[in-house]
Amino acid sequence: MTPHPLPQHMVTRFAPSPTGRLHVGHGWSALMAMDMARADSGAFRLRIEDIDGTRSRPEHVEAIIEDLRWLGIGWDGDVVFQSQRLGDYEAALDRLKAMDLAYPCFCTRADIAASATAPHGSEGPVYPGTCRGLRADERERRMTREPHAWRIDMGRAVSMAGPLSWQDADHGTVSANPLLAGDVVLARKDAPTSYHLACTLDDAAMGVTHVLRGEDLRAATHIHRLLQALLDLSSPLYRHHPLLVGPDGRRLAKRDGSIALADLRAQGIAPTQLADDLRARRFPVGIRLAQA
Ligand code: GLU
């Protein structure tokens, strides 16, 4: 399947999950994505990935917007909220079900962790496929009374899509190998979608031509490329930037309050200076790029 032609002007995006305050790594990522689009007279969009009903909070959305504005980041068009796009995700899931590529999964996290054979992928244990082989009548019966997620039948999906690749700004043409990720979740028990499905659909719906995101999401790109092919969506160009680590060598995370943009603001740091420094890859003391 060949990807659709991309629009002429560049569209980039920043897509935070509102589960905590933004840190300098987020600020750096958003600045790079905005600058890329502006240099091409393109558009930079903001998307709030708020499908996680328990961890996403409205106060974090407000804080994200405040932090980005403080750093001098402005976006084009309305902010897109994933929580307002659930109908589109359900429609795509229905398509995948009609293609016989999705099956209900009743396993709990504990069931999966307990599976002795489960190898580990970038997102934890690879699902061992327990529910893939359930008989149709058992499936129907359990679906009426047990909470269930929906998973992709990855083997079948990969055979249907055929060989795929994506364009990577640093590595050229990269072969997609989604099989490594196993039967990933398309819709969670508590939401009619998953990060993979929502992100892939949104990037296409928002006309995103260039996805710039952290190296930690490179593994996800294999899955997103497959979903694009199955759902006839265009494939953007990808660039995965290195992650930032703190003094302990651990990846910056929203939990490390000390490097939140809000804390730098509270310390009286000038946002224009910080933005210039981040653009020049000069990070606050103790923070550095992870070794590639
Ligand atoms: N929402 C994801 C995060 O905050 C980013 C998703 C993406 O850029 O594709 O880590």
Side-chain angles (χ1 to χ4, degrees), residues 3-274:
H4 289 179
L6 293 169
Q8 242 175 339
H9 277 290
M10 188 184 287
V11 180
T12 63
R13 49 66 159 187
F14 180 58
S17 309
T19 54
R21 299 300 302 233
L22 296 184
H23 56 60
V24 285
H26 294 119
W28 179 49
S29 186
L31 278 170
M32 284 191 288
M34 179 182 75
D35 291 352
M36 253 174 94
R38 299 273 184 265
D40 190 65
S41 311
F44 169 66
R45 310 285 317 268
L46 177 63
R47 175 169 82 232
I48 301 292
E49 301 209 325
D50 57 350
I51 52 162
D52 188 326
T54 48
R55 293 172 65 226
S56 298
R57 303 257 171 76
E59 61 268 29
H60 293 317
V61 175
E62 276 169 37
I64 285 171
I65 288 178
E66 194 183 325
D67 291 344
L68 291 175
R69 290 225 166 97
W70 173 75
L71 196 56
I73 293 170
W75 44 91
D76 300 294
D78 292 336
V79 179
V80 172
F81 289 88
Q82 289 192 327
S83 56
Q84 292 170 12
R85 291 190 23 79
L86 301 183
D88 288 46
Y89 308 145
E90 276 174 285
L93 180 63
D94 284 345
R95 251 179 95 178
L96 295 169
K97 286 181 195 170
M99 292 158 87
D100 206 14
L101 294 179
Y103 64 87
C105 171
F106 307 94
C107 295
T108 60
R109 275 174 204 270
D111 292 334
I112 299 168
S115 156
T117 53
H120 270 64
S122 59
E123 295 176 16
V126 171
Y127 182 61
T130 321
C131 291
R132 193 192 312 125
L134 291 181
R135 283 202 330 267
D137 57 341
E138 183 178 356
R139 237 175 224 177
E140 293 303 321
R141 185 170 46 77
R142 291 181 67 178
M143 272 169 66
T144 56
R145 53 173 199 230
E146 279 181 58
H148 51 278
W150 285 87
R151 290 184 178 273
I152 192 165
D153 182 335
M154 192 57 95
R156 193 194 284 263
V158 165
S159 332
M160 189 180 281
L164 294 169
S165 57
W166 81 75
Q167 293 307 313
D168 186 291
D170 300 313
H171 302 281
T173 303
V174 176
S175 299
N177 189 359
L179 276 175
L180 289 179
D183 292 357
V184 295
V185 171
L186 295 169
R188 300 153 46 129
K189 282 183 183 169
D190 61 353
T193 186
S194 64
Y195 159 64
H196 295 304
L197 185 60
C199 174
T200 305
L201 289 166
D202 289 349
D203 283 337
M206 293 163 73
V208 172
T209 61
H210 291 64
V211 171
L212 178 70
R213 61 184 172 196
E215 189 57 47
D216 54 330
L217 291 170
R218 179 180 293 278
T221 303
H222 293 266
I223 301 161
H224 298 182
R225 181 66 194 95
L226 172 72
L227 292 174
Q228 287 155 5
L230 297 172
L231 296 167
D232 301 312
L233 304 172
S234 57
S235 185
L237 180 103
Y238 287 89
R239 179 157 171 250
H240 301 94
H241 61 73
L243 299 179
L244 297 184
V245 293
D248 55 2
R250 288 173 63 210
R251 260 171 60 182
L252 298 191
K254 292 195 182 87
R255 63 179 177 273
D256 298 322
S258 56
I259 36 73
L261 292 173
D263 293 312
L264 296 174
R265 178 168 66 218
Q267 288 165 25
I269 300 226
T272 46
Q273 182 64 52
L274 177 64

